[in-house]
Amino acid sequence: GKRAPVQEMEQAEIEVTENKSESGACFPPTFSVSEIKNKQRRHAMFLKLKEEKRKQKLELKKKKKKERKALGDQAPPKEVPKTIENQRIYDETTVNPEDEEVAFDEGTDEFSAYFNRLTNPKVLITTSDRPRGRTVRFCEQLATMIPHAHVYYRRGLALKRVIPQCISRGFTYLMVINEDRKVPNGLVLCHLPDGPTAHFKVSSVRLRKEMKRRGKDPTEHVPEVILNNFTTRLGHSIGRMFAALFPHDPQFVGRQVATFHNQRDFIFFRFHRYIFKNEKKVGIQELGPRFTLKLRSLQKGTFDSKFGEYEWVHKRHEMDSSRRKFHL
């Protein structure tokens, strides 16, 4: 009967230490939450510290706002947050639109006939050998989006033999969709008759059926084309390549727009329709498909995997492989 008070005292001590630990009073300043062995208490402590941190941040924000209001026009300018884009290492090949050398190059490159309105785009879309359902549907949806595009199934024919047939039938582009484990994973875009040929990795493909809140299927109107952030010499070449896929004069009646948005060398493709709600308000409705491209190589001339001369190849382990260095 004499032991009971001792046990009660021990119990009380445990409760006191628990209360202290929860308030954080008994922890030394160098204490880390990961030192708590009990998983539940560790998690509770972590949430508590997180909440405290959030409150401190909020207080600081309110204080700064108050100071800015008090200072009025004398308030210092707001700090610009650091992003990977604005920390980008300057690329010496960044193009100045008024550069005479650039203007001359563009006047004589492989796409000059298109930009001088001497040719109209005509695109042949094909696949790797024996494509599966999803790749086939992807090709069909690309064909409804790009005017004057035709889908053709390879049936084991080598690209070297397909290209001369395309040229003789007046096609200006050959687009090949490759797949891996039934998923589209590669795109070869070959400008005819003289090249160049670009090879892209394809990811994040979303077909129309897989998209929420999509609009009705696209109409046959020629869409507008928006090219964002293609700033370097290589980026300009790729941008011109995408532009030459679509006919010159967009039919604004169709309210359709195809966007190629380059961000950190990933090219995001989206296809939208404008919805005019009234004279001032406009909304956009995605029609699909959507996908992301990453340039793997740019080759001079038409597709030639053996003897082709490469203008640019993506090196996976470059010496200056920095997160802030981009090529497009």
Side-chain angles (χ1 to χ4, degrees):
K2 286 181 182 178
R3 278 197 171 182
V6 178
Q7 281 181 341
E8 278 174 22
M9 263 185 74
E10 282 175 358
Q11 191 66 35
E13 274 178 27
I14 289 163
E15 279 174 20
V16 167
T17 52
E18 271 190 5
N19 289 339
K20 272 190 181 177
S21 68
E22 277 184 18
S23 65
C26 69
F27 289 140
T30 55
F31 177 76
S32 167
V33 178
S34 57
E35 286 174 32
I36 299 173
K37 297 286 185 281
N38 186 309
K39 189 179 176 181
Q40 285 168 320
R41 285 186 52 199
R42 184 170 65 238
H43 182 62
M45 195 65 199
F46 171 73
L47 291 178
K48 198 172 182 185
L49 288 172
K50 199 177 175 184
E51 183 60 25
E52 278 173 21
K53 225 176 188 180
R54 193 185 69 83
K55 280 180 183 172
Q56 284 171 7
K57 211 174 178 183
L58 209 67
E59 286 296 317
L60 195 70
K61 211 175 182 183
K62 279 182 184 174
K63 194 183 170 188
K64 274 189 178 177
K65 203 177 181 182
K66 228 177 183 180
E67 283 172 7
R68 288 184 70 82
K69 213 174 182 182
L71 288 167
D73 295 335
Q74 274 82 47
K78 278 188 177 179
E79 288 177 14
V80 179
K82 284 184 179 181
T83 63
I84 293 177
E85 271 84 19
N86 65 24
Q87 297 295 303
R88 173 178 181 163
I89 295 167
Y90 178 75
D91 193 318
E92 60 275 6
T93 66
T94 301
V95 170
N96 177 1
E98 278 133 44
D99 194 326
E100 286 180 17
E101 189 188 335
V102 172
F104 175 77
D105 283 357
E106 289 182 354
T108 54
D109 72 359
E110 298 93 333
F111 308 107
S112 56
Y114 164 81
F115 285 100
N116 294 329
R117 293 177 178 259
L118 301 173
T119 59
N120 286 317
K122 190 180 173 188
V123 184
L124 183 89
I125 300 172
T126 187
T127 59
S128 50
D129 210 12
R130 295 188 197 87
R132 299 304 176 96
R134 198 148 184 270
T135 308
V136 172
R137 284 198 300 279
F138 182 46
C139 291
E140 285 166 355
Q141 289 182 19
L142 284 174
T144 61
M145 194 185 65
I146 302 168
H148 316 306
H150 307 265
V151 180
Y152 172 84
Y153 299 110
R154 282 265 290 278
R155 298 186 189 89
L157 207 60
L159 280 184
K160 281 276 188 74
R161 288 178 62 190
V162 174
I163 289 166
Q165 290 182 29
C166 289
I167 295 168
S168 65
R169 289 173 194 179
F171 283 98
T172 60
Y173 269 103
L174 172 65
M175 188 186 283
V176 185
I177 308 292
N178 294 318
E179 65 171 13
D180 179 40
R181 299 188 188 95
K182 306 182 188 177
V183 176
N185 75 329
L187 166 69
V188 176
L189 192 58
C190 180
H191 181 255
L192 305 172
D194 305 315
T197 301
H199 179 238
F200 299 93
K201 177 192 170 190
V202 179
S203 59
S204 311
V205 176
R206 294 281 289 277
L207 301 178
R208 285 190 190 121
K209 267 194 173 176
E210 298 157 6
M211 293 171 68
K212 292 174 184 175
R213 296 190 294 280
R214 67 184 170 90
K216 288 179 182 174
D217 286 356
T219 54
E220 289 182 5
H221 294 94
V222 175
E224 294 174 65
V225 180
I226 295 174
L227 300 161
N228 285 341
N229 299 344
F230 293 93
T231 51
T232 63
R233 291 298 286 262
L234 177 65
H236 250 231
S237 302
I238 297 299
R240 283 168 72 81
M241 201 171 195
F242 289 137
L245 275 170
F246 296 85
H248 289 280
D249 301 307
Q251 294 165 325
F252 297 108
V253 180
R255 310 192 312 277
Q256 293 179 158
V257 56
T259 308
F260 293 91
H261 176 82
N262 171 42
Q263 195 168 345
R264 306 201 291 267
D265 288 353
F266 288 94
I267 301 160
F268 299 94
F269 176 82
R270 298 290 183 271
F271 195 59
H272 290 98
R273 179 185 285 134
Y274 297 121
I275 305 290
F276 291 102
K277 291 169 182 175
N278 54 42
E279 285 179 8
K280 289 181 181 176
K281 269 193 173 182
V282 64
I284 54 172
Q285 187 179 45
E286 195 170 349
L287 304 179
R290 64 158 71 164
F291 52 90
T292 305
L293 301 173
K294 190 147 191 349
L295 186 65
R296 286 277 169 251
S297 66
L298 183 66
Q299 188 180 3
K300 282 184 178 177
T302 54
F303 181 81
D304 188 346
S305 53
K306 263 192 181 177
F307 306 107
E309 183 190 339
Y310 287 90
E311 283 184 47
W312 184 85
V313 177
H314 171 68
K315 295 183 181 71
R316 288 193 66 175
H317 303 290
E318 284 185 80
M319 291 297 286
D320 59 348
S321 60
S322 160
R323 283 183 70 206
R324 295 182 292 139
K325 185 163 175 58
F326 307 116
H327 302 281
L328 293 183

